[in-house]
Amino acid sequence: MSFYTVTRDDLRNVRRSYVVLGVVGVFTALVALVFGSEISIYDDAYRTLYDVSALVGFAFPLFVASLTYLSIAGDRSGGAIKYVLGLPNSRAEYFLGKYVSRAVVAVSAVVLATVVGFVIAAATFTNGADPIRFLKFAAVSALYALTVTGIFVSLSATTASRSRAMFAVIGAYFVLVPFWFGFLPVISLDTVIDALTSTLGITLSESTRELVSVLSPATAYLQATEVVYAGVFDQYQILGTFHHESDRLARQSWFNVLVLGCWATVAPLLGYLKFRVSELG
């Protein structure tokens, strides 16, 4: 038993799952639907990529959640993990194998959806499709997929039951996406910050608030997609939000990519450290 074996077997099981195939298929179909519905609205495919990035940022984590929340918790609750770890196989190899196999599926879903979108755009949009912009989009979105997968697999590794794993993953989604963006009607990151600063009698500058706002992987991802629209910020009004002369750290593409990279590495590391000392029952 080894990291390779764990990864191979998990990928084989995932490939046979109708749920996984359905999730990947539905997400790809949604991306195709976005491109198909905007053919007569925009001449340039990169404008539609902006709308697709919102779909990836807000909805894709829910698709990944269904692929990952039982990745390790399912084995723990069913007892299969005792057999796997009873073989010449370390917890590190097991955890990494699970993470890599689910990451492959998540990244494949993003890449497949991007390829389908590119084919539709190249064949139907007035100005065709720029492959370089689509490659940049796929790269940033793949990093986001790795980030979300790492967070959810780590949460799965720290829970011993299916229900707890589900609540942990969904809870993380609501904190890192709707709560951070301010979608929730009563409480959001801004209301919490306002309450804390009021209680403590301090004031946060606008740049500090902006920095805090991009520490979520979802907000960092949307800011990082700025690289996709280089040179065309003035073509559509909504893309102008990316074009700025500010030197604020939160608005730098490299910093947002760094935030994603930190989430993609630190979250799995913390998850493994907790899993390494967990009582497996």
Side-chain angles (χ1 to χ4, degrees):
M1 203 69 175
S2 64
F3 157 71
Y4 168 76
T5 306
V6 173
T7 306
R8 182 199 62 195
D9 290 348
D10 198 52
L11 278 173
R12 183 179 300 163
N13 293 333
V14 166
R15 190 177 62 230
R16 294 171 179 170
S17 171
Y18 289 110
V19 173
V20 173
L21 295 177
V23 166
V24 174
V26 168
F27 178 72
T28 302
L30 286 175
V31 172
L33 182 62
V34 173
F35 274 96
S37 65
E38 296 188 0
I39 292 172
S40 59
I41 300 177
Y42 305 116
D43 293 335
D44 303 288
Y46 58 77
R47 174 59 184 81
T48 299
L49 277 179
Y50 180 89
D51 293 336
V52 172
S53 68
L55 176 66
V56 174
F58 301 143
F60 187 63
L62 289 175
F63 288 91
V64 177
S66 65
L67 300 175
T68 55
Y69 83 99
L70 289 180
S71 56
I72 296 178
D75 286 352
R76 291 183 65 179
S77 63
I81 195 170
K82 295 180 181 179
Y83 168 76
V84 175
L85 294 179
L87 299 172
N89 182 48
S90 69
R91 292 197 186 195
E93 290 174 321
Y94 172 81
F95 179 90
L96 186 59
K98 288 287 187 175
Y99 169 57
V100 170
S101 65
R102 302 308 165 109
V104 167
V105 176
V107 171
S108 297
V110 166
V111 172
L112 176 62
T114 304
V115 170
V116 170
F118 175 78
V119 171
I120 294 174
T124 60
F125 275 67
T126 301
N127 295 330
D130 184 347
I132 301 302
R133 296 192 191 279
F134 274 79
L135 282 173
K136 290 180 179 179
F137 178 84
V140 177
S141 299
L143 178 56
Y144 182 54
L146 287 175
T147 299
V148 176
T149 302
I151 294 171
F152 292 166
V153 169
S154 297
L155 290 172
S156 180
T158 61
T159 54
S161 71
R162 294 169 176 261
S163 58
R164 290 179 182 177
M166 180 182 66
F167 283 119
V169 167
I170 296 301
Y173 166 78
F174 274 101
V175 170
L176 295 176
V177 182
F179 171 79
W180 220 280
F181 272 93
F183 291 162
L184 300 180
V186 178
I187 187 171
S188 66
L189 178 64
D190 284 336
T191 59
V192 170
I193 290 177
D194 289 339
L196 288 175
T197 54
S198 177
T199 301
L200 299 175
I202 60 177
T203 301
L204 291 182
S205 65
E206 187 62 30
S207 61
T208 301
R209 284 176 173 268
E210 195 171 36
L211 183 62
V212 173
S213 71
V214 299
L215 294 182
S216 160
T219 49
Y221 162 71
L222 292 176
Q223 287 293 327
T225 58
E226 177 184 359
V227 299
V228 177
Y229 315 108
V232 294
F233 296 117
D234 59 342
Q235 297 303 305
Y236 294 93
Q237 183 177 0
I238 198 168
L239 299 183
T241 58
F242 286 116
H243 190 46
H244 43 70
E245 303 299 331
S246 173
D247 59 354
R248 291 181 181 179
L249 193 60
R251 298 189 181 185
Q252 306 304 312
S253 295
W254 67 265
F255 178 75
N256 288 284
V257 170
L258 179 62
V259 170
L260 289 174
C262 288
W263 276 103
T265 53
V266 174
L269 177 60
L270 294 177
Y272 164 68
L273 292 176
K274 178 64 170 63
F275 175 68
R276 186 180 63 175
V277 299
S278 295
E279 177 60 49
L280 300 181

